[in-house]
Amino acid sequence: MQEKVRLTQFAKHGGCAAKIGPDTLSRLLERLPGFEDEDLLVGFETSDDAAVYRITEEKAVIQTLDFFTPVVDDAYTFGQVAAANALSDVYAMGGEPKIALNIVCFPENLDADILGEILRGGADKVKEAGAVLVGGHSIQDDVPKYGLSVTGLVHPDRIYRNFGCREGDVLLLTKQLGSGIVNTAVKAEMASLESEAEAIRVMTTLNRKAKETAQKFTVHACTDVTGFGLLGHCGEMARASRAVVKIGVDGIALMQGAREYAEMGLIPGGAYRNQRHVKDILDAGDVEEVWVDLLSDPQTSGGLLFAVPEDEAKAMLQALRRAGLGTEISVVGRVAESGAENPGIRLRRKVEMR
């Protein structure tokens, strides 16, 4: 009988924790030439989740690409997670995925049936999103990698961007945090079965319902929380919006076991890169250090972070719960100041939603 292959053993970092750090990326992007086109509505200047290009007055194309190394051992589940993560960028821009292409790197000495299961998992998730899979590209590599290039559509007037939040906005996050830490514990064979199962369920869940529900409300800014952690993505939102963001840690939903594993030191290396990226704008107050680790944790296929007007926040929260998101939703905090000369993040025990 063939020995079961543990895909995570092929990679030092798995999932979105394998991303190059935000500091390095920002330095590299600064070297690229500028591109100007009146129909390019969103480029890479604000580190948004995808590019958006206007085709007509009523239609724009969203283009994104995302792939990574195994974050789970099961091949089919890995395909689902990677596809859900890639599709999320389209939802984070307020769009609807339409076309997907596979991106595959796979070792020559691994059973091709494993790759078949990865592709099947990805294809099933694309179908669940209502998009179509139309091919892709593959190369041989020592480390398995999988993901998608996704094209979506959105009305040019209804694009979500990762900037534009306003003073008083409430920040809602649609998935609990902790996948990077839990997956680190799983790889070390120290995680409970319950923690592992919750992480897989969260990572394989599309952000489709969250986006469709949010469309009924006013959204000033949106991003998905992935490899840069909540602090990293809040930092991008704060910088791009010139805002001061207050985060209340008591209201943040965590995956089962995440805090316990963090206190044990099971922190992925990407979390420390994320902390360095926000150190100049972070005021942690008297919040325990473990919360900085938890909020810096690289998330794989994380939730959508919405900045919504205070007078719509409770209704949107209730609508998201009716859509089935339930206790996974967090009231993360609020925008304390917009148009700030010194954008930043302030961690506090509690931030009330009025």
Side-chain angles (χ1 to χ4, degrees):
M1 188 172 74
Q2 187 177 17
E3 184 179 354
K4 183 175 176 62
V5 174
R6 291 192 65 189
L7 289 177
T8 56
Q9 297 305 305
F10 284 86
K12 183 179 179 181
H13 304 291
C16 287
K19 285 187 174 181
I20 294 173
D23 280 341
T24 302
L25 275 180
S26 62
R27 289 198 305 271
L28 295 175
L29 289 174
E30 287 174 357
R31 301 177 188 175
L32 299 183
F35 293 87
E36 293 185 6
D37 187 317
E38 63 180 10
D39 290 315
L40 181 62
L41 304 181
V42 181
F44 60 75
E45 293 79 13
T46 57
S47 302
D48 223 317
D49 297 294
V52 184
Y53 192 88
R54 180 171 49 212
I55 301 299
T56 70
E57 292 303 313
E58 296 185 350
K59 187 174 295 184
V61 171
I62 300 171
Q63 187 65 52
T64 186
L65 182 154
D66 212 316
F67 71 109
F68 46 57
T69 51
V71 66
V72 293
D73 287 317
D74 181 72
Y76 177 79
T77 304
F78 172 43
Q80 285 192 305
V81 172
N85 183 74
L87 291 159
S88 180
D89 285 340
V90 175
Y91 296 130
M93 305 304 295
E96 182 179 355
K98 291 296 183 183
I99 297 174
L101 292 164
N102 285 319
I103 305 160
V104 175
C105 303
F106 199 73
E108 187 179 16
N109 60 351
L110 269 186
D111 188 342
D113 287 342
I114 295 173
L115 177 56
E117 283 298 285
I118 293 172
L119 295 175
R120 186 171 71 88
D124 283 351
K125 199 53 63 172
V126 170
K127 184 171 286 190
E128 182 184 337
V132 292
L133 187 65
V134 294
H137 183 68
S138 62
I139 63 169
Q140 295 179 10
D141 194 356
D142 292 338
V143 179
K145 304 176 185 73
Y146 174 67
L148 299 173
S149 172
V150 186
T151 301
L153 296 177
V154 67
H155 192 287
D157 296 334
R158 294 195 285 272
I159 300 168
Y160 294 161
R161 295 173 171 85
N162 70 348
F163 62 92
C165 55
R166 305 177 187 178
E167 189 168 328
D169 279 355
V170 174
L171 302 178
L172 302 178
L173 179 62
T174 64
K175 289 184 181 181
Q176 60 268 61
L177 298 176
S179 63
I181 289 168
V182 171
N183 289 325
T184 299
V186 170
K187 194 170 182 178
E189 299 183 342
M190 297 176 68
S192 69
L193 293 176
E194 292 79 9
S195 293
E196 182 178 8
E198 182 179 8
I200 289 172
R201 178 178 59 80
V202 170
M203 292 187 296
T204 56
T205 298
L206 293 175
N207 281 323
R208 181 178 184 175
K209 285 184 179 178
K211 190 274 296 187
E212 291 175 348
T213 302
Q215 286 181 319
K216 303 178 179 71
F217 299 89
T218 303
V219 174
H220 288 153
C222 176
T223 188
D224 61 345
V225 176
T226 53
F228 299 159
L230 180 62
L231 288 184
H233 289 286
C234 275
E236 288 181 339
M237 185 179 286
R239 287 185 177 107
S241 303
R242 295 179 56 225
V244 175
V245 172
K246 282 188 178 180
I247 295 176
V249 299
D250 285 349
I252 295 176
L254 300 174
M255 295 180 190
Q256 183 175 337
R259 177 163 182 163
E260 175 188 350
Y261 304 142
E263 289 172 338
M264 293 167 61
L266 296 170
I267 310 294
Y272 301 113
R273 293 194 297 271
N274 293 339
Q275 288 176 28
R276 289 194 294 271
H277 184 56
V278 299
K279 66 178 181 180
D280 293 337
I281 63 170
L282 178 64
D283 169 9
D286 60 355
V287 170
E288 300 98 313
E289 186 176 349
V290 68
W291 276 108
V292 177
D293 292 333
L294 287 162
L295 302 189
S296 304
D297 182 33
Q299 302 302 288
T300 298
S301 189
L304 297 182
L305 178 67
F306 293 110
V308 301
E310 186 175 25
D311 59 359
E312 296 186 43
K314 285 187 178 179
M316 182 169 167
L317 186 62
Q318 293 169 354
L320 288 166
R321 286 174 175 159
R322 287 195 300 270
L325 277 71
T327 56
E328 298 184 0
I329 307 168
S330 296
V331 179
V332 171
R334 61 190 307 114
V335 179
E337 182 182 351
S338 58
E341 290 186 12
N342 297 302
I345 305 170
R346 299 172 186 167
L347 298 189
R348 299 294 183 263
R349 295 298 321 175
K350 185 177 293 186
V351 176
E352 298 288 352
M353 183 174 72
R354 300 190 190 107

